[in-house]
Amino acid sequence: MLTHIPFPALPVPPSWFPGHMLQFQRTLPTLLNKTDVVLELRDARLPLTSINRNFEGVLQKWRRERGVIPSPSPSPGGSTAGPSSSSVCERVVVFSKRDLVPEWGVRPFQRAMEAKYPDQRTFFASWNHTRDIKALNQLLVNIAKQHPDRLELNVLVVGMPNVGKSTLLNALRNIGIAGPTPKALRTSAHPGMTRVLSTRLKLSVDPLVYAYDSPGVMLPFLGNGIRGAERGVKLALIAGIKEGLYETEALASYLLYRMNVLDPVAPAYLQLLPPGSQPLLDVHEFLALLAKRLCMLKRGGIPDTSRAAVWFIKWWREEGGLASASAPALPTSLATSGLESCRRGWGFDLEWDVATSEAGRYGEAAIQAKIEGCIDAFEAAALEDERDGSTISSTQEKKRMKEQQRTRQQARTRARLAARRG
């Protein structure tokens, strides 16, 4: 059992924010005017990192305008009443790839999210499981039935790149429409396939439910320091960032670290190594051993670690993630390890310490409390980044200063022209 897992060195995060993402982000407020339900997709392996905080302000404004949440500063004499009976304004956060995270953390995480964000519904699903798609389809149908005065329900699907938006809509359409339904949206394992808002897709006939697919929107700037670096590597591992912006060995190093945290006794990658192998901390040693095992050798019998890194990441995306999801809530050897505590993780975002003395009462309530602590730490870090300006790159700051300077110059010019006319 690994007792100390050092954090790897990570590269500076790249910037990847194509023009179609900016265009969609600007049109989102207008789109919400004709939207009843927002399905916000996130990756269950990155339940916090796959939050796009640029959506938050727009979605909160949408809910205030619909009367779902009160305005922070209502005008004198203004009404603070709730939404009218005909108003529909639902936000459902759907965590995709449920089968790639340990099942023991799903319910505690949902309860923690409900406690921290009571204005959001949460839903876990795997697109491979028909029952999950049926349950999500029924949720949308039930929302529509709660508003029989509405002729139709309009759903907008948003989220970061490659979280499965198009795949979900194809699956919902297949479940909700009787008879053969051809694939309506193109899908890809690479981010950025959807570049414009889709045409309306019918998801249900009675009641009528329509949906729009939208381009995946990345954060314009991933952040400074270790938090920004880690955010970028996580998104690259789930193929949420354009291929080629990261060296594969850097991704392999972080992946090795995370798999060790998920299961320090028997991490899933051991099945790739020779029988009897022990968990490894050094990525170069691991990749060399893996390259030999896969017969990936250069001239002279030198292990081709670069090829091995590419293979390792591909294996994790296709098979290893499922194997990692079988990690237990606690190592069975914790009580006899002689350690005071051990490090535990759920997905790639949530990580906490468990004291050996806690092992006997380590149930769902205890796990929920640990997860709530992780969410609190995440929110505190996000606020700190906003205060420090770490959410804006130096390039963005320069552009903003130039725009402000241009606006001031235009105001001075208008003032001079007005003075001359006067």
Side-chain angles (χ1 to χ4, degrees):
M1 177 176 175
L2 296 172
T3 57
H4 174 65
I5 306 173
F7 193 82
L10 300 178
V12 175
S15 177
W16 182 61
F17 195 69
H20 71 273
M21 295 185 181
L22 178 61
Q23 183 178 0
F24 172 74
Q25 191 167 294
R26 287 173 174 171
T27 59
L28 181 57
T30 303
L31 293 172
L32 289 174
N33 291 334
K34 55 183 179 181
T35 297
D36 303 309
V37 178
V38 170
L39 282 187
E40 182 186 350
L41 264 64
R42 301 177 190 169
D43 193 302
R45 297 165 295 179
L46 302 179
L48 303 180
T49 298
S50 57
I51 295 174
N52 192 324
R53 298 191 76 86
N54 288 339
F55 290 154
E56 292 302 309
V58 179
L59 292 176
Q60 291 300 316
K61 182 181 178 183
W62 170 61
R63 291 172 67 79
R64 282 195 297 270
E65 290 174 347
R66 296 288 177 95
V68 176
I69 56 177
S71 175
S73 54
S75 58
S79 173
T80 57
S84 66
S85 59
S86 62
S87 176
V88 187
C89 184
E90 293 281 353
R91 181 182 183 182
V92 183
V93 179
V94 181
F95 294 93
S96 63
K97 300 178 175 62
R98 172 181 182 152
D99 53 335
L100 300 184
V101 292
E103 187 64 28
W104 51 261
V106 171
R107 285 176 59 188
F109 180 80
Q110 282 185 295
R111 291 173 180 170
M113 289 292 288
E114 290 167 1
K116 297 295 181 180
Y117 310 104
D119 63 325
Q120 303 173 11
R121 299 194 194 197
T122 58
F123 191 93
F124 273 79
S126 172
W127 305 167
N128 299 323
H129 298 160
T130 304
R131 67 177 183 274
D132 292 347
I133 304 300
K134 286 183 176 179
L136 184 54
N137 176 269
Q138 191 59 50
L139 187 152
L140 295 175
V141 167
N142 289 342
I143 293 174
K145 288 181 176 179
Q146 291 167 9
H147 301 272
D149 53 315
R150 299 296 297 267
L151 296 177
E152 61 189 37
L153 188 78
N154 288 298
V155 180
L156 178 64
V157 181
V158 301
M160 282 199 174
N162 214 30
V163 291
K165 299 183 293 298
S166 301
T167 304
L168 171 63
L169 283 176
N170 284 330
L172 285 172
R173 177 178 167 82
N174 187 51
I175 289 292
I177 305 296
T181 53
K183 193 177 188 180
L185 298 170
R186 294 174 62 199
T187 58
S188 171
H190 302 289
M193 169 64 74
T194 303
R195 300 179 67 86
V196 296
L197 191 73
S198 73
T199 56
R200 288 208 309 173
L201 298 177
K202 186 182 291 184
L203 302 184
S204 171
V205 176
D206 186 19
L208 273 174
V209 178
Y210 291 95
Y212 295 89
D213 190 17
S214 69
V217 177
M218 178 55 66
L219 295 172
F221 180 58
L222 294 172
N224 294 315
I226 188 63
R227 283 202 289 263
E230 187 175 15
R231 186 178 294 121
V233 169
K234 287 177 179 179
L235 292 170
L237 277 172
I238 66 165
I241 292 180
K242 183 180 177 181
E243 289 284 347
L245 295 180
Y246 275 96
E247 292 185 1
T248 52
E249 292 196 24
L251 300 182
S253 177
Y254 186 80
L255 179 56
L256 183 72
Y257 163 78
R258 274 294 165 193
M259 294 183 79
N260 282 332
V261 171
L262 286 171
D263 191 348
V265 177
Y269 63 75
L270 287 183
Q271 62 184 267
L272 307 176
L273 303 180
S277 297
Q278 298 298 313
L280 297 171
L281 297 174
D282 186 273
V283 69
H284 300 292
E285 180 183 359
F286 166 75
L287 291 176
L289 194 59
L290 179 61
K292 290 178 182 178
R293 180 72 169 172
L294 298 174
C295 297
M296 293 181 176
L297 305 175
K298 299 179 182 179
R299 183 173 297 179
I302 299 173
D304 192 339
T305 55
S306 296
R307 284 180 62 199
V310 172
W311 190 95
F312 178 45
I313 294 166
K314 183 180 179 182
W315 167 82
W316 176 76
R317 289 173 179 169
E318 297 178 354
E319 304 174 38
L322 194 60
S324 296
S326 62
L330 277 183
T332 54
S333 59
L334 178 60
T336 58
S337 65
L339 300 174
E340 293 184 0
S341 65
C342 74
R343 197 73 173 158
R344 299 305 302 128
W346 187 77
F348 277 20
D349 276 345
L350 307 175
E351 190 178 342
W352 57 84
D353 287 315
V354 179
T356 305
S357 58
E358 297 179 90
R361 55 183 186 277
Y362 191 67
E364 284 193 358
I367 294 172
Q368 178 183 338
K370 299 286 188 183
I371 291 175
E372 288 183 9
C374 292
I375 295 174
D376 288 339
F378 170 80
E379 289 292 349
L383 289 174
E384 182 181 342
D385 286 344
E386 289 177 6
R387 286 194 300 266
D388 295 345
S390 299
T391 57
I392 301 176
S393 68
S394 57
T395 302
Q396 289 174 305
E397 181 63 25
K398 289 177 182 177
K399 287 182 179 179
R400 188 167 65 176
M401 291 178 66
K402 286 182 179 179
E403 185 63 32
Q404 290 174 350
Q405 185 177 4
R406 189 181 301 112
T407 301
R408 289 193 297 267
Q409 182 63 39
Q410 290 172 348
R412 286 195 293 265
T413 301
R414 286 194 296 268
R416 284 197 299 269
L417 291 173
R420 290 172 184 173
R421 287 195 296 266

